[in-house]
Amino acid sequence: MTTATDPITEYRSWAVEEFRAEEEPYYVPVSDEVEVFEAAWNNKIPVLLKGPTGCGKTRFVEYMAYHLNRPLAVVRDGKAEVESESNLPLVTVACHEDLTASDLVGRYLLEGNETVWIDGPLTRAVKAGAICYLDEVVEARKDTTVLIHPLTDHRRILPVEKKSQLLQARDGFLLVISFNPGYQSALKDLKQSTRQRFVAVEFDYPPRETEAEIVQHEAECSYEVALNLAKMAEKIRNLREHGLAEGASTRLLIYAGRMIAAGVSPRRACQVAIVWPLTDDGEVQRSIEEVVSSIFED
Amino acid sequence: MTDTHSNPLVEEAREGLRQFPPALAQEFEAALDAVVPVLEPDELAQWLRDGLDIARHSLRSWEASSEYFRASGPVLEQITYDRMREWCAVGIELMETSPALSGALFRASPAVLPHLSVPQANDWAAQGKSLYKGTWKSGSLSAQYFDVSPQILPHLPLSQMRLLVDLIDSLASHSYELASACLGMAPGVLSQLDRSDRAPFLEFGGIVAHTAWVDARVYFERGPGALRQVSEEQRPRYLSLAGQVAMQVGRLGHPYFIEAAQAFSEVDKDIHEGLLELAEQLSQHSGDAAMEFIKSSPRVAQRLGIDDIARWQEFGLNILQQSRDGGEAFFRLESARGEEVMEALSSRVDLDRVSELIRMYCKALTGVDVGVKASEELTAKGVGWVDESSPTTEGTTIYLPENVERYPTKDENFAVYKVFATHQAGRLEFGSFEYQSEINPKLFPGDQNGTRNGHGGSSGNGVAPAVVEAEEGEIHTDMERFFDQFGDRRLAHDLFTIVEDTRIDTIVKREYAGVRRAFSRLQQAAIDRRRPVEDMPARQAMVENLLRASLDEIGRIRWPNELAEEMRAPLRILNRIRQDGATVQDSAAATALLYEWLSQIPNVELDTEDWSDFEQEMSGDPDSGEDSDMMPGSGSSGLEESFMPFMPGSEEQPYDSPDPVDFRGDFKPELVQLLMKLKGETGTGDAPPIPLTKEQLQELLEKSVEISINELMDMDLAESSGMFLDNLLKEVNQIQGERQEGQQAMGDDSTGAEDGEELPVEAASFYYDEWDFRAADYKPRWCRVQEQRGESGTASYYAETLHEHTQLVQETRKQFEMLRPEMFRKMKRLTDGEDYDLDAVIEWYTEKIAGGASETKLFYRRNKVERDVAVAFLLDVSASTDEEIQKHHDQRQDDQFDDDPRKYLSWWAQRRAEAARHPGKRIIDLEKEATVLLIEALETIGDKYGVYGFSGYGRDNVEFFVYKDMDEPFGDRIKERIDKIAPVRSTRMGPAIRHCIWKLQNTDAKVKILMLLSDGRPQDHGYGRDRTEKEYAIHDTKMALTEARREGMVPFALTVDRAGHDYLKQMCQDMAYEVVADIESLPRRLPALYRRLTG
């Protein structure tokens, strides 16, 4: 049905709009972001998530998709069938600089002697009433705004130019975009006309204790290690905009925590999971390593 | 003996002497008296004959005869007549050469004889004779030889005399004056030298005389002094090395000798031998390298031991064998590799190498923008800190010693730095300077924020009563108020330091488990250096014990058993501060409690043998004690004089602070709070900085124990305190100035504000390596680039230029506008796109008909490429750009006047007047115009750009002018600066280019262009071996341009020097460059070129 298990490799595949979390994603709310998001969804107001990389934006969207219930629809042969009550499907698109409007909407492809129309992820989400999450949206090419604008105001319409169609978004559809104001250059800022179509939720790294809790849970390491990692991250983040474009993300802390839990020495784990991914600048690397070696004994 | 005088032979001789000047006869008579008694008659006859023969020999030989007579007496006192004849035969033989020399020989004989045997006479005379070349000057030099021989021979055996004579002879071939002067100096010089050094000294002198004869005099004057700087046993060896080197390097040999000897005086005598051996190895390959090695040895020896120096030398020797220049630069310490090797071999860690690292580390820990500097810089400010070697902080910057060389490895020494820095950062991170009177301590609830009245204790035991409230004087900081409560400020300060350092160390060790080991090691080292407690008077001993306890060394406390109880409570107080959550408020409270305890202990000598280690349950549970235990007097024992093992009748001794603990460094909370307050950085509120009057400061200064004023300088109190105040105010004003500057700059950015005067900006310094092509290595930190803003003129220049070139401006603008639309690049063979890619479709269709079409990528798409260009525009503003551009017709006019001066004068006056009205255009003017046009064009296209100029003199002073920085918005201010672009000095291109690279590196753009506009080849003082060498400068410039390319930039050189092709070809090789032949076309050419470059 929705999940197909391949007999040989045992991997699972989903149609993009049918992917939904089966287990509750782990997420620790830092403030009222859950309530804000829920209210926005209920009112069909698109959401803009701001914040540094690896602080939990994507996880948050997954968490919300899981918790926002609506009748589960399956698109089959163009007809939607209501089957059961379930959480929201989530379509995630990582944007890159060559991502064009037709990558999102869909295109004709040649297949043998005929052309076949293939829906893009955005179209699928619109049809399925899923949450469509455009990650790092500023990276995408400017023509994508043509799609975003009519979808995000009262019209909730997706123009499919090549098929000369307009699609009305299904209930439940919500456009969520994320962007990281920190490291993008001024050129890649989000335009006001785009920004002002969203409610914005600002994310930052969680406070030390919360972060430690998250790391402990996700990395399955001891609380002591997690707390030390969180403390270290706090110190490293002090270096932001001082040779470091971004602070150490919670995600990296979790990686480090997992490495430590797997038996790698803490200093080494931090080196491979935090210091080296963060920067190539030798001097900054050494500074961070000194912080690491101050916090971890070996 | 008068009868002998009437001897007929004598009479005959007298008769014979009459034809000569009477002086001879007088000498004869005088000699006769001395000779007659000792000579046999036949000997006398012979003597007379000889004298007459000499006199009659030739025209002036009577003078020699006179010397003969005069010497005869003294000589005969020393040797027999037979021997004398033998001796004199040498002199007589010399008559054949020159009677004057002969005379000199006789004259010197009496004094020389004690040092020579008769058979040596020949040799001695022959050497003198060898100086005689038949000329008057050589004769007098030779005579001088005989004259000074008596003074020389005591110091120099005849066998070595040859060395001196050869040296003199060699000098004489250049200058008799010099030879004579040196010969005259010889006795004095030789007497200063050790016996064993004399021959080597002369040998080297001989070489100097050959290779650099003019230096000989200096060598004689300064040589012995220079030589004394070398260790005694090594002097001959050094001289022989110097000789070897001099033969290779010629004229440089002597300066090397002097300089290297100087270097020896700066290194430990024990390693002289080792150094010489290493230098000797080098001299086989290069004399320069050998001497440079010795010259550099003081600096090298500072960092390396002799074994490591040998390793360093070996490394350099390898380079030397591959490249002479490279090796020599290595030993001159002018090569990056040399520094690297030294750095790698040395265990010392220098602050300037790690300061950036430590700064970031501290910033990470504290979260504030701290600086890291050498402690010296703080002491130099004279604002209260005096110890140059101890770490400290004044609240915004962490000061550390210049280098650490405590342990045998780099890692260990770096760990020392880390502990220093972590402790100081801890003070900032954990709020050592944030004490506030109003906040209550948490761990000492009974105590009101450490503020109590009457901490004085009884005056009976010598503690001065508390100053209840500073009379009249205002209290400026909370810390000041705190210390004001205590009668003995020094004691209170010492206790607070101990308590607060304990708190910081404890937190640091808890929070940063990774530095614990290094911390403990330094604690251990610190405690091992403590002075014995047993020698201290009671109160001081107790403070010392507290300090030991604070270093985690309860076991090292020594204290009389009888007083164990008195020690226990203070220790408990100290221990409480180690609890989690302790703040500076708690430290203050603990200090107050401790003060109370301590003030009950008189500072008298302890009369007890019963010292013991203080082992107790203390270290266990800090909470075990009741609060009441901490109060003196209320506890179990109470202090009763009778129990005290104090020395009977001993007097109260002055209290001395405990020795400082090195890794904790200076702690001056009161001063730091004051500084922060003066700077308006009070943590408590946003109150504007309150300026203190000098009087208020003065008062504060006299009160505080933190300002070591008597150590400041040997001045009287009033004077030095006045100076301190000046320094303090200067420091504060400077910081406020910086802040205003910062605000101003921000204002510029946001609004492009055009009003208001720009503050004069101190030139910022940057250091760059310079490429030495001979050594094929960089000279480390060789050039200092001083960046400064260009001066401002008037903005109207800009408009005028545009007006002058209206037509051109429009053309250029139009051309640039064509660049503007976003450019498109076709991407073919896509599965989907804007349109069909016709080629692909045809191909696909053909294949399809053929029956095998599978490729379905038939579309193309245009990728938008946004123009993202940054250009740094570097103008040569050297003095040569001041040259006027010669107009072609001038030449013809010049020729019209033939020889009529009046015509010429009137023409000249006319021309001068005209020139004053319309000064001719100079190269710089055209550079400026071109810049204006380019800016105008760049503004239409929207590229990022910076306009810079460079000039300077020498490597220390490369001036780098900023007319428009990369991120500066264009405005009137920029226009004003462009007006003031003016020729300055030399052209050292390399560092200026490197600085531009740095500027571009900090700019975000896909395409980065470095455009260099010059009017000639690079040249500067010291930019090459000498003024005329061109190679070096060109190679360095080329390397700088190559560096730019490595950084992904596009360097482009443009010159208006018509002869530019030859060096630009070499400088740029495969890079683009252009020579603008007609300089007046520059304003047109430059924008065109730029367009081509980026289009």
Side-chain angles (χ1 to χ4, degrees):
Chain A
M1 195 181 62
T2 53
T3 309
T5 307
D6 188 289
I8 301 166
T9 56
E10 294 195 340
Y11 68 78
R12 301 194 293 169
S13 65
W14 290 270
V16 274
E17 71 275 27
E18 289 168 4
F19 171 76
R20 52 173 58 76
E22 284 168 7
E23 277 174 42
E24 182 185 3
Y26 175 80
Y27 182 80
V28 181
V30 178
S31 79
D32 62 346
E33 66 268 26
V34 173
E35 291 77 29
V36 168
F37 193 95
E38 209 170 332
W41 182 74
N42 285 331
N43 290 288
K44 300 188 166 73
I45 305 172
V47 178
L48 163 62
L49 306 179
K50 288 164 77 173
T53 185
C55 68
K57 298 189 293 286
T58 306
R59 180 61 66 87
F60 172 65
V61 177
E62 286 173 9
Y63 175 81
M64 291 315 296
Y66 179 85
H67 281 277
L68 294 173
N69 290 330
R70 60 157 215 111
L72 174 63
V74 178
V75 185
R76 193 170 291 149
D77 304 329
K79 278 177 270 173
E81 300 164 13
V82 178
E83 291 201 344
S84 67
E85 186 92 347
S86 178
N87 45 30
L88 277 182
L90 173 65
V91 175
T92 304
V93 180
C95 301
H96 54 88
E97 52 191 10
D98 274 336
L99 187 88
T100 62
S102 49
D103 290 334
L104 287 174
V105 175
R107 54 167 57 95
Y108 285 108
L109 288 182
L110 280 165
E111 235 169 59
N113 279 342
E114 49 190 281
T115 53
V116 181
W117 173 260
I118 306 286
D119 273 344
L122 185 58
T123 312
R124 285 164 172 240
V126 164
K127 286 179 177 172
I131 291 180
C132 182
Y133 177 47
L134 301 181
D135 201 0
E136 304 289 351
V137 71
V138 280
E139 292 289 341
R141 284 169 61 159
K142 298 280 178 283
D143 60 351
T144 54
T145 52
V146 179
L147 307 173
I148 290 171
H149 285 197
L151 261 182
T152 48
D153 55 23
H154 64 279
R155 294 172 285 174
R156 287 171 58 84
I157 276 171
L158 177 68
V160 185
E161 215 178 319
K162 289 195 177 144
K163 290 171 77 179
S164 305
Q165 277 182 340
L166 288 179
L167 288 177
Q168 174 79 51
R170 249 182 92 167
D171 270 2
F173 171 80
L174 186 74
L175 189 65
V176 180
I177 62 174
S178 79
F179 103 112
N180 178 352
Y183 69 79
Q184 264 95 10
S185 71
L187 291 170
K188 286 193 168 167
D189 204 358
L190 215 49
K191 271 189 224 153
Q192 281 299 317
S193 57
T194 309
R195 299 173 75 119
Q196 295 198 14
R197 289 163 186 274
F198 295 84
V199 293
V201 179
E202 288 217 4
F203 283 74
D204 205 345
Y205 303 113
R208 195 195 281 192
E209 282 72 24
T210 315
E211 191 164 34
E213 194 186 315
I214 295 168
V215 173
Q216 184 194 9
H217 177 274
E218 291 284 287
E220 292 167 356
C221 60
S222 72
Y223 183 71
E224 196 202 339
V225 166
L227 191 61
N228 271 335
L229 284 168
K231 186 202 294 172
M232 177 192 65
E234 201 177 284
K235 304 294 174 199
I236 296 173
R237 286 168 197 155
N238 283 335
L239 290 177
R240 245 189 292 182
E241 275 144 41
H242 245 269
L244 258 197
E246 288 261 292
S249 64
T250 311
R251 182 168 39 224
L252 285 185
L253 299 188
I254 293 167
Y255 291 172
R258 284 191 192 149
M259 305 289 275
I260 295 169
V264 180
S265 84
R267 285 187 182 177
R268 178 70 178 151
C270 290
Q271 188 176 46
V272 297
I274 294 174
V275 181
W276 290 351
L278 264 182
T279 175
D280 300 323
D281 184 321
E283 184 118 271
V284 182
Q285 279 184 354
R286 269 209 70 188
S287 310
I288 301 175
E289 277 174 11
E290 292 306 334
V291 175
V292 171
S293 69
S294 283
I295 289 173
F296 290 102
E297 266 182 289
D298 48 29
Chain B
M1 301 269 179
T2 45
D3 57 325
T4 338
H5 287 196
S6 52
N7 182 318
L9 279 172
V10 173
E11 281 306 314
E12 194 187 316
R14 280 202 184 103
E15 197 60 31
L17 290 174
R18 240 176 236 134
Q19 52 180 305
F20 299 106
L24 178 61
Q26 282 166 21
E27 284 298 342
F28 171 73
E29 294 301 336
L32 208 55
D33 287 341
V35 168
V36 169
V38 289
L39 293 185
E40 297 299 316
D42 57 329
E43 289 173 341
L44 181 66
Q46 188 61 45
W47 181 76
L48 290 168
R49 228 174 295 132
D50 285 348
L52 273 173
D53 281 352
I54 296 171
R56 287 185 184 129
H57 179 273
S58 53
L59 187 62
R60 303 205 37 108
S61 64
W62 66 268
E63 287 165 345
S65 172
S66 150
E67 296 294 349
Y68 171 77
F69 289 136
R70 193 184 320 164
S72 295
V75 167
L76 283 170
E77 282 171 22
Q78 299 175 55
I79 51 175
T80 63
Y81 180 69
D82 283 344
R83 305 300 266 168
M84 173 172 157
R85 274 218 78 196
E86 221 176 293
W87 178 270
C88 290
V90 176
I92 289 165
E93 201 190 315
L94 204 55
M95 297 287 293
E96 300 300 325
T97 314
S98 155
L101 293 192
S102 186
L105 182 142
F106 292 135
R107 191 161 57 239
S109 294
V112 157
L113 270 170
H115 308 290
L116 293 180
S117 67
V118 175
Q120 285 178 312
N122 247 327
D123 191 14
W124 178 59
Q127 295 193 26
K129 189 176 149 191
S130 72
L131 290 171
Y132 181 69
K133 313 283 190 238
T135 60
W136 174 78
K137 278 184 175 174
S138 66
S140 101
L141 183 68
S142 178
Q144 192 189 359
Y145 162 81
F146 290 110
D147 287 344
V148 297
S149 283
Q151 288 119 62
I152 290 175
L153 285 168
H155 306 299
L156 198 68
L158 186 63
S159 57
Q160 293 173 0
M161 184 67 109
R162 186 83 248 162
L163 297 169
L164 178 64
V165 171
D166 283 350
L167 192 165
I168 298 297
D169 195 21
S170 160
L171 289 179
S173 67
H174 299 287
S175 156
Y176 276 102
E177 285 72 25
L178 180 62
S180 157
C182 287
L183 187 56
M185 279 152 74
V189 168
L190 291 170
S191 69
Q192 291 176 53
L193 295 167
D194 285 351
R195 185 161 292 278
S196 57
D197 296 344
R198 288 170 192 155
F201 183 87
L202 291 175
E203 276 165 15
F204 176 56
I207 297 169
V208 171
H210 269 292
T211 54
W213 60 273
V214 280
D215 285 336
R217 183 198 289 268
V218 186
Y219 176 63
F220 270 63
E221 280 167 4
R222 293 180 50 195
L227 200 59
R228 266 196 298 279
Q229 296 169 314
V230 182
S231 109
E232 261 169 59
E233 312 80 62
Q234 304 306 325
R235 286 173 198 162
R237 195 167 172 187
Y238 176 58
L239 284 165
S240 118
L241 172 71
Q244 266 183 51
V245 170
M247 282 194 278
Q248 293 178 43
V249 302
R251 294 209 53 177
L252 285 174
H254 182 257
Y256 269 149
F257 164 77
I258 297 284
E259 288 163 18
Q262 173 65 32
F264 271 118
S265 75
E266 292 165 32
V267 297
D268 191 353
K269 276 202 161 40
D270 295 341
I271 65 165
H272 285 194
E273 185 178 1
L275 289 177
L276 266 174
E277 196 175 317
L278 296 172
E280 280 163 2
Q281 290 168 10
L282 294 175
S283 70
Q284 312 290 319
H285 304 275
S286 155
D288 291 291
M291 288 320 226
E292 294 292 356
F293 167 74
I294 295 175
K295 276 165 66 184
S296 301
S297 63
R299 274 179 62 197
V300 180
Q302 263 179 21
R303 309 194 43 187
L304 304 178
I306 186 71
D307 295 341
D308 285 331
I309 295 181
R311 252 166 256 149
W312 182 73
Q313 182 260 14
E314 194 186 330
F315 197 94
L317 184 58
N318 278 335
I319 297 178
L320 187 67
Q321 282 162 343
Q322 287 154 25
S323 146
R324 227 184 130 90
D325 288 310
E328 284 163 11
F330 181 97
F331 290 113
R332 260 198 309 272
L333 298 183
E334 287 178 5
S335 94
R337 252 176 294 169
E339 295 273 318
E340 274 164 31
V341 174
M342 207 190 315
E343 175 68 22
L345 289 173
S346 160
S347 66
R348 186 173 87 179
V349 178
D350 289 288
L351 182 62
D352 58 356
R353 289 202 174 243
V354 295
S355 63
E356 185 58 20
L357 180 67
I358 294 179
R359 192 183 67 77
M360 275 194 273
Y361 170 75
C362 293
K363 183 176 185 292
L365 294 198
T366 59
V368 293
D369 234 334
V370 287
V372 167
K373 288 182 180 160
S375 299
E376 259 182 6
E377 287 187 42
L378 182 61
T379 53
K381 286 179 181 169
V383 290
W385 278 267
V386 287
D387 191 344
E388 287 181 2
S389 59
S390 77
T392 188
T393 176
E394 36 67 290
T396 57
T397 300
I398 289 171
Y399 292 91
L400 299 170
E402 262 200 315
N403 56 60
V404 171
E405 198 171 15
R406 218 180 257 212
Y407 297 114
T409 71
K410 266 201 154 51
D411 287 349
E412 289 168 294
N413 286 322
F414 181 76
V416 172
Y417 261 131
K418 204 170 156 184
V419 170
F420 284 2
T422 311
H423 184 85
Q424 298 303 326
R427 285 181 183 166
L428 300 176
E429 187 182 359
F430 307 118
S432 290
F433 305 113
E434 286 160 18
Y435 171 77
Q436 291 176 37
S437 325
E438 310 90 54
I439 298 179
N440 287 340
K442 284 187 213 140
L443 299 176
F444 297 86
D447 194 50
Q448 290 293 307
N449 61 40
T451 323
R452 295 164 162 202
N453 286 328
H455 277 303
S458 63
S459 54
N461 48 32
V463 175
V467 182
V468 177
E469 192 65 49
E471 61 280 6
E472 286 153 62
E474 221 175 301
I475 307 287
H476 306 291
T477 64
D478 287 348
M479 210 68 240
E480 183 189 355
R481 180 173 295 122
F482 174 72
F483 284 131
D484 273 350
Q485 310 166 73
F486 304 102
D488 186 343
R489 254 173 174 269
R490 179 165 294 282
L491 179 61
H493 177 265
D494 291 343
L495 289 173
F496 184 67
T497 305
I498 292 173
V499 173
E500 182 59 12
D501 278 337
T502 309
R503 185 178 77 90
I504 297 295
D505 279 354
T506 311
I507 304 179
V508 163
K509 282 185 172 179
R510 187 163 52 224
E511 289 284 303
Y512 305 113
V515 288
R516 264 184 224 158
R517 202 173 307 149
F519 238 100
S520 302
R521 183 173 187 181
L522 284 186
Q523 282 187 340
Q524 192 63 43
I527 202 125
D528 288 344
R529 276 196 298 270
R530 307 298 308 168
R531 281 188 296 168
V533 191
E534 288 89 336
D535 302 347
M536 298 177 184
R539 189 186 305 143
Q540 218 166 301
M542 197 158 188
V543 174
E544 172 67 25
N545 276 332
L546 281 173
L547 197 145
R548 290 178 178 207
S550 87
L551 290 168
D552 288 346
E553 291 285 344
I554 295 282
R556 298 290 278 270
I557 294 175
R558 306 271 297 143
W559 188 246
N561 276 338
E562 298 96 309
L563 287 171
E565 211 42 50
E566 274 61 48
M567 193 72 232
R568 199 157 284 143
L571 285 175
R572 210 170 284 141
I573 297 168
L574 188 65
N575 232 26
R576 182 169 275 211
I577 207 71
R578 297 178 188 265
Q579 286 182 54
D580 207 352
T583 65
V584 69
Q585 309 301 134
D586 296 309
S587 293
T591 303
L593 282 172
L594 286 174
Y595 186 88
E596 208 149 315
W597 274 102
L598 266 289
S599 48
Q600 303 219 349
I601 308 281
N603 203 29
V604 295
E605 270 177 54
L606 288 162
D607 178 28
T608 177
E609 292 300 312
D610 194 11
W611 291 89
S612 65
D613 289 349
F614 201 76
E615 302 284 0
Q616 55 149 325
E617 73 288 357
M618 272 305 312
S619 44
D621 182 9
D623 269 340
S624 64
E626 296 287 307
D627 274 346
S628 59
D629 270 10
M630 296 188 173
M631 304 298 176
S634 60
S636 46
S637 74
L639 238 62
E640 308 221 352
E641 291 280 339
S642 53
F643 278 61
M644 300 253 119
F646 298 130
M647 195 80 93
S650 82
E651 282 180 19
E652 179 81 11
Q653 306 216 353
Y655 166 78
D656 267 342
S657 294
D659 294 338
V661 178
D662 60 349
F663 72 89
R664 289 173 171 171
D666 286 343
F667 184 50
K668 300 183 190 291
E670 190 178 355
L671 197 51
V672 170
Q673 279 204 347
L674 177 68
L675 269 172
M676 285 187 186
K677 169 135 181 176
L678 290 174
K679 292 170 189 169
E681 281 172 8
T682 41
T684 46
D686 299 271
I690 304 153
L692 289 174
T693 63
K694 269 201 154 189
E695 290 68 33
Q696 286 170 317
L697 274 174
Q698 177 98 32
E699 188 193 318
L700 202 77
L701 167 72
E702 281 161 14
K703 199 161 64 175
S704 177
V705 294
E706 292 177 3
I707 301 154
S708 318
I709 192 144
N710 41 354
E711 292 168 48
L712 266 179
M713 233 158 262
D714 295 329
M715 291 186 224
D716 58 84
L717 185 76
E719 200 177 333
S720 57
S721 70
M723 205 172 87
F724 166 75
L725 295 179
D726 286 345
N727 289 339
L728 201 62
L729 292 172
K730 201 160 66 188
E731 167 73 6
V732 169
N733 289 337
Q734 189 185 337
I735 288 177
Q736 284 171 348
E738 275 169 21
R739 185 167 315 135
Q740 279 167 13
E741 170 70 19
Q743 283 161 356
Q744 180 106 5
M746 277 160 63
D748 280 359
D749 283 349
S750 51
T751 63
E754 270 134 29
D755 50 356
E757 287 292 297
E758 282 183 50
L759 288 167
V761 184
E762 290 250 324
S765 292
F766 300 83
Y767 291 88
Y768 292 98
D769 295 352
E770 187 165 281
W771 178 252
D772 181 354
F773 78 101
R774 285 201 185 80
D777 194 358
Y778 286 100
K779 291 179 174 175
R781 281 170 74 82
W782 196 250
C783 299
R784 184 175 64 175
V785 171
Q786 313 242 54
E787 182 181 316
Q788 48 197 290
R789 257 185 232 155
E791 285 175 40
S792 292
T794 57
S796 59
Y797 169 81
Y798 191 87
E800 283 160 20
T801 309
L802 289 184
H803 183 72
E804 193 182 327
H805 295 276
T806 320
Q807 176 102 32
L808 187 55
V809 170
Q810 275 169 6
E811 268 173 48
T812 323
R813 197 177 287 162
K814 204 183 285 169
Q815 286 166 338
F816 268 70
E817 268 163 5
M818 283 161 62
L819 280 175
R820 211 178 165 185
E822 291 171 331
M823 280 162 294
F824 292 91
R825 182 163 49 93
K826 260 191 188 174
M827 283 179 69
K828 294 186 172 183
R829 301 214 174 260
L830 301 174
T831 49
D832 179 40
E834 295 171 6
D835 207 344
Y836 294 108
D837 177 355
L838 203 55
D839 292 343
V841 171
I842 294 170
E843 205 175 290
W844 172 75
Y845 196 68
T846 321
E847 281 178 22
K848 189 172 143 60
I849 290 171
S854 56
E855 182 58 78
T856 54
K857 294 176 175 172
L858 308 181
F859 296 89
Y860 76 80
R861 186 167 70 197
R862 277 182 235 258
N863 260 346
K864 270 190 270 178
V865 179
E866 279 167 57
R867 196 178 160 85
D868 189 9
V869 180
V871 58
F873 197 68
L874 188 56
L875 289 176
D876 174 358
V877 291
S878 60
S880 54
T881 56
D882 203 15
E883 255 169 55
E884 223 172 274
I885 299 152
Q886 284 297 318
K887 299 249 161 53
H888 298 296
H889 48 263
D890 282 2
Q891 196 60 39
R892 255 173 290 130
Q893 284 184 345
D894 285 352
D895 297 338
Q896 285 174 356
F897 317 101
D898 305 324
D899 294 323
D900 187 343
R902 271 173 305 169
K903 240 183 183 175
Y904 174 78
L905 269 177
S906 72
W907 169 84
W908 184 78
Q910 196 183 338
R911 210 182 87 145
R912 278 285 298 269
E914 201 175 321
R917 273 198 306 278
H918 308 286
K921 272 197 182 161
R922 300 164 302 166
I923 297 174
I924 191 100
D925 294 321
L926 285 160
E927 284 189 4
K928 279 162 74 176
E929 283 175 21
T931 310
V932 169
L933 283 159
L934 189 70
I935 288 179
E936 197 61 16
L938 287 169
E939 283 295 323
T940 53
I941 198 170
D943 288 355
K944 277 170 248 170
Y945 66 99
V947 183
Y948 308 101
F950 71 98
S951 182
Y953 185 73
R955 66 188 174 100
D956 280 347
N957 190 21
V958 179
E959 292 158 299
F960 189 91
F961 304 98
V962 177
Y963 304 118
K964 179 192 171 302
D965 222 336
M966 281 290 178
D967 48 4
E968 232 174 323
F970 181 68
D972 276 1
R973 199 157 267 178
I974 310 291
K975 294 180 185 172
E976 285 162 20
R977 286 193 211 134
I978 286 168
D979 179 39
K980 272 286 183 172
I981 295 179
V984 202
R985 298 205 276 191
S986 298
T987 323
R988 205 182 191 98
M989 284 184 189
I993 293 173
R994 291 189 177 96
H995 193 57
C996 256
I997 294 174
W998 180 78
K999 293 254 176 207
L1000 280 171
Q1001 277 172 335
N1002 289 320
T1003 308
D1004 184 28
K1006 276 195 187 131
V1007 181
K1008 296 177 182 182
I1009 297 169
L1010 196 161
M1011 229 173 168
L1012 172 70
L1013 174 57
S1014 72
D1015 72 323
R1017 65 172 69 251
Q1019 58 177 25
D1020 184 18
H1021 173 72
Y1023 208 24
R1025 269 187 185 151
D1026 51 53
R1027 196 71 205 170
T1028 54
E1029 196 205 45
K1030 298 160 183 171
E1031 289 288 290
Y1032 182 93
I1034 286 174
H1035 278 276
D1036 179 51
T1037 311
K1038 177 184 166 190
M1039 187 48 88
L1041 291 170
T1042 312
E1043 286 162 26
R1045 230 167 41 158
R1046 268 187 224 142
E1047 291 294 326
M1049 297 160 191
V1050 182
F1052 187 91
L1054 183 66
T1055 185
V1056 294
D1057 178 7
R1058 268 178 240 193
H1061 275 296
D1062 60 339
Y1063 60 88
L1064 275 180
K1065 209 186 296 170
Q1066 203 186 346
M1067 234 160 65
C1068 302
Q1069 279 184 343
D1070 50 348
M1071 287 172 239
Y1073 71 90
E1074 179 162 313
V1075 176
V1076 179
D1078 178 9
I1079 179 168
E1080 284 176 75
S1081 71
L1082 186 67
R1084 177 183 297 274
R1085 192 67 197 131
L1086 186 62
L1089 263 174
Y1090 182 76
R1091 196 159 43 83
R1092 204 190 69 198
L1093 215 56
T1094 61

